[in-house]
Amino acid sequence: MMQRVATSSSSRTILIHGFARRSISTTGRADKAVSFFPSSKDAVSPSKTSEPFRMLMLAKPGSGKGTLSGRLMEKYDMHFLSTGDILRQHIKDKTEVGKVAEAIVAQGGLLPDDLMIKLLSSSLSSLTNKNWILDGFPRTMGQGKLLDHHLAKTSTPLSLVIHLDVPDDVILSRITDRWIHPASGRIYNYSYNRPKVEGFDDVTGEPLTRRPDDNPETFARRLKAFYESTSPLLAYYKSSPSVQLVTLSGTTSDEIWPQLDDVIKTGFRLKPKTAAKQKSSVHEAVIREAELDVGRSARDVKDNSSTSS
């Protein structure tokens, strides 16, 4: 079932498909969100603390998926799996599946779904009893079914699928206002995260630049691909009886983060890291987010070049 809770302009909506329903309202800062207490008969039963947490996060490009994943890894003991990183590592290590993948990539082809599952399987098997977030796969309903089949065989089912619902115009504004420091990957946004000195990096004082793919045309292309492939995937998870699909709505990561954190804390009872571990992981999370953004940028530049040639 799906229920959208009516909210005022100072409220945000959470949609939980087939499970508990709630809305979170605020009277001021986003971090004053009301706690979630399921009360309906179909409400989510909190998971046992001994059960590993396995999550997908699906969102349109520029929705803040990297930022939110970084915050989860900073606060909780979670591992981040990127199919792009896994692919590059297999190619670097010249594994059998890596050699096959390298030949396909060299010819500009797309890896078949069954090969992607082979690439993922070894990494997933090493995290059988760990909490993880998977990025980059699945992107289509067919891939979603393949992943579910693989996880069912290994008795490691998904715990949660998060869908970030950020308005298209907000994402476009966010992307067109974005500037980066190329050497470090630090990202600034003139709408909400301005540098201390306009046009220059806060740490080094070096000039900031724009990404070649941060433009309306590239965004429209990526958005079209999302709606065509990922929207059916959302419908698939919505109808699944074995996994929670939770839609979080907002215009910034700061708005969405309290909602996401509340779902994790209340529905799955994950224990935060100790203060020392949280501090040590902040730098890693920032680097990880920057690497993801740079990787996406490089892929888009390559795609644009292929399209124009």
Side-chain angles (χ1 to χ4, degrees):
M1 67 185 70
M2 179 181 79
Q3 176 175 335
R4 181 177 291 276
V5 183
T7 59
S8 66
S9 59
S10 62
S11 301
R12 297 179 300 283
T13 303
I14 291 184
L15 306 182
I16 303 185
H17 305 281
F19 295 88
R21 303 162 237 172
R22 67 159 172 172
S23 73
I24 290 183
S25 299
T26 58
T27 55
R29 291 173 56 86
D31 57 5
K32 296 185 181 296
V34 178
S35 296
F36 171 31
F37 296 99
S39 58
S40 63
K41 64 181 180 181
D42 59 345
V44 180
S45 297
S47 299
K48 297 179 181 179
T49 55
S50 59
E51 178 68 18
F53 177 76
R54 309 175 188 96
M55 189 183 86
L56 301 179
M57 193 180 295
L58 305 177
K60 289 173 282 191
S63 294
K65 185 171 59 173
T67 298
L68 293 167
S69 294
R71 290 185 184 183
L72 286 174
M73 289 186 290
E74 176 185 337
K75 183 171 183 178
Y76 299 101
D77 185 15
M78 290 189 183
H79 296 263
F80 188 88
L81 288 172
S82 164
T83 51
D85 290 345
I86 294 171
L87 171 60
R88 285 186 287 273
Q89 191 61 49
H90 273 273
I91 291 176
K92 179 181 178 181
D93 294 343
K94 298 188 181 299
T95 64
E96 289 303 315
V97 67
K99 292 176 183 178
V100 175
E102 184 176 25
I104 296 173
V105 171
Q107 296 175 2
L110 298 176
L111 300 186
D113 293 346
D114 59 342
L115 185 58
M116 288 300 301
I117 287 292
K118 289 181 180 179
L119 287 170
L120 273 173
S121 60
S122 59
S123 296
L124 290 175
S125 64
S126 68
L127 298 175
T128 300
N129 297 313
K130 305 290 185 180
N131 304 318
W132 52 255
I133 306 170
L134 178 59
D135 177 64
F137 191 91
R139 295 183 183 275
T140 67
M141 184 170 64
Q143 291 177 352
K145 292 180 178 179
L146 278 176
L147 178 62
D148 278 354
H149 179 68
H150 172 77
L151 296 178
K153 286 195 306 181
T154 56
S155 299
T156 56
L158 287 172
S159 309
L160 178 67
V161 177
I162 289 289
H163 170 222
L164 305 181
D165 183 19
V166 180
D168 294 355
D169 59 335
V170 171
I171 300 175
L172 177 59
S173 174
R174 184 183 298 174
I175 288 175
T176 55
D177 285 345
R178 184 163 58 185
W179 291 76
I180 65 169
H181 177 239
S184 67
R186 279 184 289 274
I187 301 172
Y188 300 88
N189 192 288
Y190 275 47
S191 298
Y192 57 86
N193 181 35
R194 302 177 69 89
K196 296 175 182 177
V197 178
E198 186 167 339
F200 296 92
D201 178 51
D202 288 351
V203 178
T204 65
E206 296 171 345
L208 301 176
T209 62
R210 296 290 303 276
R211 291 176 180 162
D213 61 310
D214 279 351
N215 58 73
E217 293 76 19
T218 300
F219 173 72
R221 177 180 59 78
R222 295 176 68 188
L223 192 61
K224 181 174 181 289
F226 172 85
Y227 283 124
E228 289 178 349
S229 62
T230 311
S231 291
L233 179 62
L234 289 171
Y236 168 71
Y237 283 123
K238 176 184 173 182
S239 63
S240 173
S242 59
V243 66
Q244 299 178 43
L245 169 63
V246 180
T247 295
L248 307 180
S249 298
T251 58
T252 68
S253 296
D254 286 341
E255 284 186 14
I256 295 175
W257 166 246
Q259 305 173 44
L260 174 60
D261 189 36
D262 200 34
V263 170
I264 301 298
K265 288 188 300 185
T266 308
F268 299 92
R269 294 181 178 175
L270 291 185
K271 294 181 178 180
K273 296 177 181 176
T274 62
K277 287 186 177 180
Q278 286 191 38
K279 288 181 180 179
S280 68
S281 65
V282 171
H283 184 60
E284 295 177 3
V286 171
I287 291 176
R288 179 71 202 138
E289 179 184 344
E291 289 174 341
L292 286 172
D293 282 327
V294 171
R296 293 188 190 101
S297 177
R299 288 194 298 272
D300 283 327
V301 170
K302 181 180 179 180
D303 290 344
N304 287 335
S305 300
S306 301
T307 303
S308 58
S309 59

